[in-house]
């Protein structure tokens, strides 16, 4: 097993170019630690599959190097990288039984029957395939076929890493949760490096110890699920993580005070002066806003435009002059009618300059 390092990786499907717009991946630098459980999260088209294929060797990057420990593997073909990759759609041999499919990667590498059999039986049990071990794959559902694909990826214990490219897309929703927990269990048990690609934040946050968020060919944040939630380093992370995502509003910044829709809010920190040309925004999560009765001192006057009661809490949409905010509330009984006062938890109010988080000095 190995640490996998990406050094100044960039990739353009149309060959080397000076135009940044030609690059599906912009400049990336990242180390995946041996034994880590990672999720690669981002919207469709942001470059997740391209990045996985560069790690596995299906794509040679236009620029930069891939290292496994100290070895430069950039030009090394896939079959010499010792990586298991599981794709979005099942890759199975239809005419083989489940047993034969699972055994194939081991048999191919000359393992004996005595080595293969217990491993296949163990893995089939973990994936819920034991009852179908001797059924031909062609007779199985898409769910079961994808479980076979997962099994084929997991069967070898000496791989450098296992790459999962949105592997649960074809799996039934209730099974997804079960399979994800099994993957997590297998990670704990065998300590493989796992990189799990998804565009689903719940999947990413429940699977991974560390999440890499990508946006338009760039890595915008690497962090624990908690860090992504509490301190998004890019407005995209704020917006993409959370349900609903972070509220982002244009503002003016004057030291320790922001002006939003003409209203002043005093912050806990002092911020350096920004030049006039830059884009300055505040970001605050719906969880960190609060509503009280209209005209409460210290609150900003808002109109409630919508309340979605989703059981455990309510998502309240309010309008401050021209800007709408989402507020998560357990209880709305203090508010009557459609007028209310909006309060910012300033210890969780972030400032973004050109979409990047900036830090202030405590006062
Ligand atoms: P994701 O997996 O995050 O959905 P991809 O890595 O598949 O994203 O794609 C990143 C970008 O590269 C997209 O704009 C996509 O259209 C483009 N792309 C992907 N594969 C190819 C290809 N084989 N040829 C040309 N462009 C491609
Ligand atoms: Mg993809």
């Amino acid at each position: 097993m190995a640490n996998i390092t990406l050094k100044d990786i960039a990739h353009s499907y149309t060959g080397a170019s000076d135009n940044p717009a030609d690059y599906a991946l912009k400049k990336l630098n990242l180390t995946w630690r041996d034994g880590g459980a990672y999720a690669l999260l981002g919207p469709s088209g942001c470059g997740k599959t391209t990045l996985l294929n560069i790690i596995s060797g299906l794509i040679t990057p236009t620029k930069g190097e891939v290292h496994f420990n100290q070895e430069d593997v950039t030009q090394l073909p896939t079959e010499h990288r010792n990586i298991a990759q599981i794709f979005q759609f099942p890759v199975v041999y239809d005419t083989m039984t489940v047993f034969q499919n699972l055994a194939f990667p081991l048999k191919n590498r000359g393992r004996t029957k005595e080595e293969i059999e217990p491993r296949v039986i163990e893995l089939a049990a973990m994936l819920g395939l034991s009852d179908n071990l001797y059924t031909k794959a062609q007779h199985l559902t898409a769910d079961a076929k994808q479980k076979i694909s997962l099994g084929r990826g997991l069967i070898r214990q000496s791989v450098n890493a296992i790459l999962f490219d949105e592997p649960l897309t074809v799996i039934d929703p209730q099974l997804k949760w079960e399979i994800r927990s099994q993957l997590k269990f297998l990670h704990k048990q065998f300590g493989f490096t796992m990189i799990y690609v998804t565009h689903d934040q719940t999947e990413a946050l429940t699977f991974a110890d560390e999440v890499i968020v990508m946006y338009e060919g760039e890595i915008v944040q690497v962090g624990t699920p908690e860090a992504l939630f509490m301190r998004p380093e890019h407005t995209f992370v704020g917006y993409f993580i959370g349900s609903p995502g972070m509220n982002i509003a244009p503002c003016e910044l004057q030291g320790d005070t922001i002006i939003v829709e003409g209203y002043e809010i005093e912050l806990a920190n002092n911020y350096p002066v920004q030049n006039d040309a830059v884009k300055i925004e505040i970001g605050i999560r719906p969880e960190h806003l609060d509503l009280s009765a209209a005209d409460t001192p210290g609150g900003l006057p808002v109109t409630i435009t919508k309340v979605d009661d989703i059981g455990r809490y309510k998502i309240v949409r309010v309008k401050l002059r021209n800007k709408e905010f989402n507020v998560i509330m357990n209880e709305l009984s203090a508010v009557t009618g459609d007028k209310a006062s909006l309060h910012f938890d300033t210890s969780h109010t972030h400032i973004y300059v050109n979409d990047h988080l900036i830090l202030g000095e405590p006062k």
Side-chain angles (χ1 to χ4, degrees), residues 34-301:
D34 188 13
Y38 296 96
L40 193 55
L41 175 68
S44 182
C46 72
K48 304 181 296 295
T49 295
T50 307
L51 186 53
L52 276 202
N53 289 344
I54 286 173
I55 294 172
S56 66
L58 291 174
I59 291 179
T60 306
T62 313
K63 294 182 184 172
E65 294 173 1
V66 181
H67 289 214
F68 287 3
N69 290 334
Q70 308 312 323
E71 188 192 357
D72 182 348
V73 300
T74 318
Q75 303 301 328
L76 203 63
T78 307
E79 54 277 19
H80 294 128
R81 292 197 187 188
N82 202 17
I83 293 266
Q85 190 166 5
I86 294 136
F87 301 93
Q88 204 164 357
F89 298 99
V91 180
V92 297
Y93 297 104
D94 266 339
T95 56
M96 290 186 185
T97 64
V98 171
F99 187 104
Q100 288 165 332
N101 266 289
L102 293 177
F104 193 82
L106 296 177
K107 210 169 164 194
N108 215 8
R109 284 167 183 80
R111 298 294 161 77
T112 63
K113 191 163 167 280
E114 289 67 34
E115 289 173 292
I116 296 174
E117 212 172 280
R119 179 79 184 134
V120 168
I121 288 170
E122 180 190 19
L123 203 57
M126 281 182 192
L127 291 168
L129 289 167
S130 303
D131 292 345
N132 294 316
L133 262 183
Y134 303 101
T135 310
K136 282 192 177 161
Q138 66 197 9
H139 302 304
L140 298 175
T141 60
D143 280 2
K145 285 188 186 181
Q146 187 64 339
K147 286 183 176 182
I148 301 173
S149 284
L150 284 164
R152 285 159 46 92
L154 293 162
I155 194 101
R156 287 159 57 213
Q157 277 162 305
S158 60
V159 291
N160 279 318
I162 308 180
L163 314 181
F164 302 90
D165 196 350
E166 313 212 26
L168 304 186
T169 310
V170 295
I171 303 270
D172 209 51
Q174 73 242 33
L175 260 183
K176 278 190 188 186
W177 188 85
E178 188 190 315
I179 293 186
R180 217 164 45 221
S181 340
Q182 273 159 345
L183 291 179
K184 194 133 193 162
F185 172 75
L186 286 166
H187 176 258
K188 287 215 172 75
Q189 196 174 27
F190 299 120
F192 300 119
T193 306
M194 290 188 174
I195 305 177
Y196 188 102
V197 167
T198 178
H199 62 267
D200 177 332
Q201 56 166 309
T202 315
E203 246 180 72
L205 301 179
T206 52
F207 174 77
D209 306 325
E210 200 157 57
V211 181
I212 289 97
V213 186
M214 287 183 70
Y215 176 61
E216 294 184 345
E218 291 184 86
I219 293 173
V220 286
Q221 188 162 358
V222 179
T224 59
E226 199 210 348
L228 298 180
F229 187 82
M230 295 307 286
R231 232 172 54 114
E233 286 169 9
H234 190 279
T235 51
F236 175 75
V237 178
Y239 154 82
F240 199 63
I241 306 275
S243 180
M246 182 180 255
N247 296 290
I248 292 161
C251 71
E252 279 174 51
L253 179 63
Q254 295 171 356
D256 67 349
T257 303
I258 48 170
I259 302 167
V260 183
E261 293 295 313
Y263 293 99
E264 282 189 12
I265 302 167
E266 193 183 327
L267 301 176
N269 289 333
N270 237 320
Y271 289 85
V273 176
Q274 307 295 322
N275 85 48
D276 294 342
V278 300
K279 177 170 79 166
I280 304 177
E281 290 162 309
I282 52 157
I284 184 159
R285 292 208 173 272
E287 290 81 354
H288 299 137
L289 286 170
D290 194 21
L291 292 171
S292 64
D295 302 322
T296 310
L300 307 180

Side-chain angles (χ1 to χ4, degrees), residues 292-347:
S292 64
D295 302 322
T296 310
L300 307 180
V302 291
T303 306
I304 295 174
T305 57
K306 191 162 177 256
V307 180
D308 285 325
D309 193 337
I310 58 167
R312 267 187 311 126
Y313 54 81
K314 298 173 174 62
I315 301 168
V316 187
R317 203 151 168 85
V318 301
K319 211 164 175 185
L320 176 70
R321 285 223 172 105
N322 296 309
K323 174 69 196 167
E324 289 202 299
F325 290 84
N326 288 314
V327 185
I328 289 184
M329 299 286 293
N330 291 323
E331 216 9 84
L332 251 190
S333 55
V335 179
T336 45
D338 66 350
K339 301 289 180 212
S341 294
L342 178 67
H343 303 265
F344 284 66
D345 176 348
T346 52
S347 61

